[in-house]
């Protein structure tokens, strides 16, 4: 608890010093605000409003919450307690990409679990204990350059493969932010999209993820023992799939083989892969010439082709957190605020800055989420309270791994991170 008092004071000092850096959001006084305080027993305080950013900044300095959120939704009475009294005016389209919700290979290294039932431990993200099958796992999710790169790549896919070409959304209507922990979110502020109801948002989500896609509707069919495939000239998913197939088939054979054997995408057995590779040049010729769409690979019937296409779709579709986009009353992290589970800043980035943006090692000070990096080389002595800690790599320097009870001395920004994560205490 003393850690929380300490962190709250740090956050407070930050907001005091940097208050002019905390941006406004559009339609500011129509947004609902929500906070999670440092005091353990209080959940989120919602249904708050501020007339202007100045009032919000004073609140942050005075009350200094652990987390700060605002709505994607616009209301005439954002502070009304009941949704039906808020006078709903529309909601921005929000897309949340968070590696909490999908697999990344680096989790095998840095996400730890410990079974309270049988004492087994390991890495990765199992649903339940592989030893005793119980689901009472204590999990520790970590963050690294790799998973944040993957999350960033999902945002790039979203913008360049979908929002711009298929939805005609212009860059000026997009607000992109690093969440301050394990992902990014993107907000589209357009009058057109604000009108959409939840069902229409669900359709957009389905389109972006490629879930529930019907290959039959895209043209896949079997007639007199021949498979007719998709065509590139059909815009939308058909074209995306065909372009992706071409790109994959253009790679060296070993790379194609590895991909087709990859359990996450295709999971084909080696015989199937062998047959595919034997016919791949003919297949590539068929689809690049685009004259006929008869797909012929020995052993590939309709089911096998569907499995193949599903693997392709998995690579194109965006890994987004669906409920966030569908729910029209969601709150999302406020830009410029601090994330209470890391001490990192929720950082807005423009589309042109995104490609080079490195949240854990950003050189441009204006975009750097690691705000507690001490210029005076201040360090702290801590004791590890979690069962184990994976390597933490921030600003290009590695700390750990550590074991429970270990006493460590780390720079200020690492100490803030570990204390926010509640895996260490001050000594
Ligand atoms: Zn167990
Ligand atoms: Zn990672």
């Amino acid at each position: 608890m003393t850690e929380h008092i300490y962190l709250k004071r740090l956050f407070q000092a930050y907001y005091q010093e940097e208050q002019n850096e905390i941006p406004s959001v559009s339609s500011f006084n129509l947004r609902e605000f929500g906070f999670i305080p440092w005091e353990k027993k209080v959940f989120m305080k919602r249904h708050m409003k501020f007339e202007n950013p100045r009032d919000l900044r004073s609140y942050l300095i005075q009350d200094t919450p652990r987390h700060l959120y605002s709505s994607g939704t616009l209301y005439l009475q954002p502070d009304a307690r009941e949704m039906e009294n808020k006078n709903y005016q529309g909601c921005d389209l929000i897309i949340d990409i968070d590696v909490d919700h999908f697999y990344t290979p680096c989790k095998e290294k840095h996400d730890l679990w410990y079974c309270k039932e049988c004492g087994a431990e390991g890495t990765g993200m199992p649903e339940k204990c592989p030893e005793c099958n119980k689901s009472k796992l204590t999990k520790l999710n970590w963050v690294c350059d790799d998973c944040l790169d993957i999350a960033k790549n999902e945002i790039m896919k979203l913008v360049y493969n979908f929002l711009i070409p298929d939805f005609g959304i212009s860059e000026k209507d997009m607000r992109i932010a690093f969440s301050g922990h394990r992902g990014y979110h993107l907000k589209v502020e357009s009058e057109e999209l604000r009108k959409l109801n939840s069902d229409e948002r669900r359709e957009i989500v389905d389109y972006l993820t490629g879930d529930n896609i019907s290959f039959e509707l895209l043209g896949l069919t079997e007639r007199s023992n021949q498979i007719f495939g998709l065509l590139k000239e059909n815009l939308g998913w058909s074209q995306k799939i065909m372009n992706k197939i071409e790109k994959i088939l253009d790679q060296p054979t070993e790379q194609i083989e590895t991909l087709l054997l990859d359990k996450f995408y295709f999971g084909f057995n080696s015989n199937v892969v062998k047959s595919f590779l034997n016919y791949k040049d003919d297949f590539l010729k068929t689809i690049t010439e685009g004259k006929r769409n008869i797909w012929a690979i020995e052993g590939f019937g309709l089911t096998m082709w569907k499995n193949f296409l599903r693997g392709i779709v998995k690579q194109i579709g965006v890994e987004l957190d669906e409920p966030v986009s569908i729910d029209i009353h969601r709150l999302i992290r406020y830009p410029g605020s601090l994330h209470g589970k890391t001490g990192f800043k929720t950082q807005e980035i423009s589309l042109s800055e995104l490609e080079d943006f490195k949240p854990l090692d950003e050189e441009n000070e204006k975009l750097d989420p690691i705000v507690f990096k001490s210029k005076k080389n201040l360090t702290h002595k801590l004791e590890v309270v979690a069962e184990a800690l994976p390597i933490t790599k921030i600003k290009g320097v590695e700390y750990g791994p550590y074991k429970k009870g270990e006493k460590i001395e780390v720079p200020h920004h690492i100490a803030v991170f570990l204390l926010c994560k509640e895996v260490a205490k001050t000594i």
Side-chain angles (χ1 to χ4, degrees):
M1 210 55 215
T2 49
E3 278 76 24
H4 281 185
I5 296 168
Y6 171 68
L7 291 169
K8 185 174 177 174
R9 271 192 216 128
L10 274 185
F11 276 36
Q12 188 170 35
Y14 174 81
Y15 286 132
Q16 183 104 49
E17 279 163 37
E18 302 293 331
Q19 51 179 305
N20 295 325
E21 300 297 317
I22 296 166
S24 181
V25 290
S26 66
S27 309
F28 185 88
N29 58 350
L30 302 182
R31 309 269 181 189
E32 175 193 351
F33 283 81
F35 304 87
I36 296 180
W38 288 95
E39 294 71 31
K40 265 268 147 85
K41 279 179 202 116
V42 190
F43 294 111
M44 190 191 276
K45 288 199 224 173
R46 289 189 68 155
H47 315 300
M48 297 184 65
K49 72 174 262 188
F50 294 93
E51 282 308 324
N52 53 56
R54 204 179 50 243
D55 291 355
L56 170 67
R57 289 169 194 143
S58 317
Y59 182 89
L60 289 176
I61 295 165
Q62 233 159 55
D63 279 48
T64 317
R66 187 172 189 180
H67 303 277
L68 165 64
Y69 307 87
S70 71
S71 63
T73 322
L74 311 178
Y75 307 101
L76 291 184
Q77 279 88 38
D79 53 344
R81 297 203 60 84
E82 304 300 329
M83 284 301 166
E84 58 267 32
N85 298 333
K86 282 185 188 291
N87 215 333
Y88 178 85
Q89 299 293 298
C91 178
D92 297 328
L93 179 67
I94 298 169
I95 293 141
D96 184 47
I97 311 265
D98 192 321
V99 293
D100 275 349
H101 300 286
F102 59 95
Y103 174 82
T104 64
C106 56
K107 288 180 180 175
E108 303 294 345
K109 281 187 256 168
H110 63 58
D111 277 12
L112 310 181
W113 59 268
Y114 170 80
C115 177
K116 279 184 258 186
E117 203 69 34
C118 73
E121 56 185 11
T123 60
M125 49 185 302
E127 291 276 301
K128 40 189 184 176
C129 175
E131 295 294 323
C132 72
N133 249 332
K134 299 261 165 55
S135 49
K136 282 186 192 157
L137 296 182
T138 309
K139 290 182 187 171
L140 183 62
N141 300 331
W142 223 242
V143 65
C144 79
D145 294 323
D146 293 347
C147 41
L148 290 178
D149 259 357
I150 292 172
K152 185 169 86 173
N153 189 47
E154 292 299 311
I155 290 280
M156 310 276 275
K157 275 161 61 182
L158 170 70
V159 172
Y160 292 110
N161 296 348
F162 292 95
L163 295 185
I164 293 177
D166 293 354
F167 291 85
I169 292 167
S170 69
E171 189 182 338
K172 67 169 178 33
D173 291 333
M174 298 182 209
R175 301 270 169 280
I176 303 168
F178 166 59
S179 73
H181 195 192
R182 303 229 293 176
Y184 289 81
H185 54 246
L186 186 149
K187 196 162 74 158
V188 185
E189 301 184 336
S190 95
E191 287 306 324
E192 237 13 71
L193 292 177
R194 272 182 186 158
K195 294 178 201 150
L196 300 177
N197 64 30
S198 282
D199 288 339
E200 292 161 329
R201 285 165 204 261
R202 187 183 299 278
E203 276 178 41
I204 292 182
V205 164
D206 270 357
Y207 187 80
L208 298 175
T209 57
D211 290 351
N212 309 320
I213 201 165
S214 157
F215 300 117
E216 283 86 356
L217 281 182
L218 297 182
L220 183 73
T221 176
E222 184 172 7
R223 276 198 309 268
S224 36
N225 287 329
Q226 282 186 322
I227 302 288
F228 293 82
L230 280 45
L231 286 167
K232 201 157 62 166
E233 61 252 36
N234 295 335
L235 296 182
W237 265 101
S238 211
Q239 190 171 72
K240 289 181 211 299
I241 290 171
M242 297 310 289
N243 287 340
K244 189 76 184 177
I245 294 175
E246 267 185 53
K247 234 188 214 159
I248 290 173
L249 293 181
D250 259 340
Q251 299 176 101
T253 307
E254 305 80 70
Q255 245 165 294
I256 304 174
E257 187 175 6
T258 312
L259 183 64
L260 292 175
L261 290 168
D262 188 328
K263 279 202 186 69
F264 182 72
Y265 291 112
F266 300 95
F268 287 145
N269 67 41
S270 51
N271 285 334
V272 172
V273 174
K274 211 185 235 169
S275 177
F276 187 92
L277 293 175
N278 279 340
Y279 289 85
K280 80 170 169 51
D281 293 336
D282 290 342
F283 180 42
L284 181 61
K285 212 166 148 218
T286 307
I287 61 177
T288 39
E289 285 174 355
K291 287 185 202 119
R292 334 172 297 142
N293 59 334
I294 296 171
W295 290 3
I297 287 184
E298 200 181 304
F300 271 61
L302 210 49
T303 312
M304 200 69 98
W305 277 115
K306 279 189 193 167
N307 290 344
F308 173 73
L309 289 174
R310 233 169 265 129
I312 301 284
V313 167
K314 257 193 202 173
Q315 297 179 57
I316 304 169
V318 181
E319 291 279 5
L320 52 82
D321 186 13
E322 302 188 6
V324 176
S325 300
I326 295 165
D327 182 353
I328 52 170
H329 299 296
R330 271 284 167 136
L331 302 180
I332 54 164
R333 246 167 232 290
Y334 193 86
S337 68
L338 299 176
H339 193 304
K341 283 262 166 75
T342 56
F344 303 161
K345 179 172 51 154
T346 303
Q347 178 65 51
E348 275 196 317
I349 343 140
S350 69
L351 191 52
S352 56
E353 290 163 339
L354 185 63
E355 189 159 4
D356 293 329
F357 177 64
K358 294 203 289 279
L360 301 182
D361 193 13
E362 178 56 43
E363 278 165 22
N364 181 348
E365 209 174 311
K366 280 230 163 308
L367 300 180
D368 189 359
I370 316 296
V371 297
F372 291 112
K373 177 107 175 74
S374 160
K375 291 189 179 80
K376 295 176 215 141
N377 296 324
L378 181 67
T379 61
H380 292 270
K381 292 198 171 88
L382 304 178
E383 182 183 331
V384 177
V385 297
E387 286 301 322
L389 291 187
I391 292 172
T392 303
K393 188 177 168 197
I394 295 177
K395 295 279 169 205
V397 184
E398 290 186 358
Y399 303 88
Y402 301 122
K403 281 265 168 250
K404 187 172 186 164
E406 201 169 326
K407 296 190 170 57
I408 59 177
E409 184 165 358
V410 291
H412 185 57
H413 61 287
I414 302 296
V416 172
F417 173 68
L418 298 178
L419 292 175
C420 281
K421 276 283 209 180
E422 300 177 324
V423 294
K425 61 178 188 184
T426 43
I427 45 175

